[in-house]
Amino acid sequence: MTPFQTNKDLISTGVKEFNVLLDQQVFDDPLISEEDMKIVVDDWVNLYTNYYKKHVLGEQQEQDRALKELQQELSTLGNQFLAKYRTILKSKESQPSS
């Protein structure tokens, strides 16, 4: 991995990589509950935040601001993913059982 030039680069890279993770998810039966998926997504956000925490630049205040921004961006993506997952769960519930 190349070093980050700025915290904006770090955030951008983290968001891109998190998007790749979310896009790779496949929803096969049996699906886990919405509550369990929320736990998984929260764990992913924490994992990415903790990983990038080691790479933030600047004074403590700048580092804290960058980590907060990263976590907010990842949480937003995670919430969008959960909304998509919720839709998938509802569509599966409305399908007749085989």
Side-chain angles (χ1 to χ4, degrees):
M1 177 196 293
T2 60
F4 298 103
Q5 299 299 314
T6 67
N7 286 334
K8 289 288 183 193
D9 292 342
L10 177 138
I11 293 166
S12 176
T13 299
V15 166
K16 286 177 190 169
E17 290 180 358
F18 194 69
N19 254 326
V20 169
L21 171 72
L22 296 178
D23 288 343
Q24 290 175 343
Q25 301 313 302
V26 176
F27 305 114
D28 291 328
D29 286 325
L31 296 172
I32 65 173
S33 71
E34 182 179 345
E35 296 80 19
D36 288 343
M37 183 59 83
K38 172 136 179 49
I39 292 169
V40 170
V41 171
D42 288 345
D43 286 348
W44 287 338
V45 169
N46 290 330
L47 177 75
Y48 274 71
T49 302
N50 286 329
Y51 173 79
Y52 284 102
K53 184 178 194 174
K54 302 172 199 162
H55 302 285
V56 289
L57 307 168
E59 300 292 325
Q60 189 63 48
Q61 189 175 7
E62 293 173 87
Q63 292 178 16
D64 292 345
R65 193 174 325 124
L67 284 174
K68 183 177 180 183
E69 185 178 340
L70 175 64
Q71 192 164 28
Q72 287 174 336
E73 292 280 342
L74 298 179
S75 292
T76 298
L77 291 172
N79 288 334
Q80 292 169 356
F81 174 82
L82 288 170
K84 176 180 160 185
Y85 188 72
R86 193 175 309 115
T87 301
I88 290 168
L89 284 177
K90 287 180 182 175
S91 72
K92 294 281 185 178
E93 290 172 1
S94 64
Q95 292 177 356
S97 299
S98 300

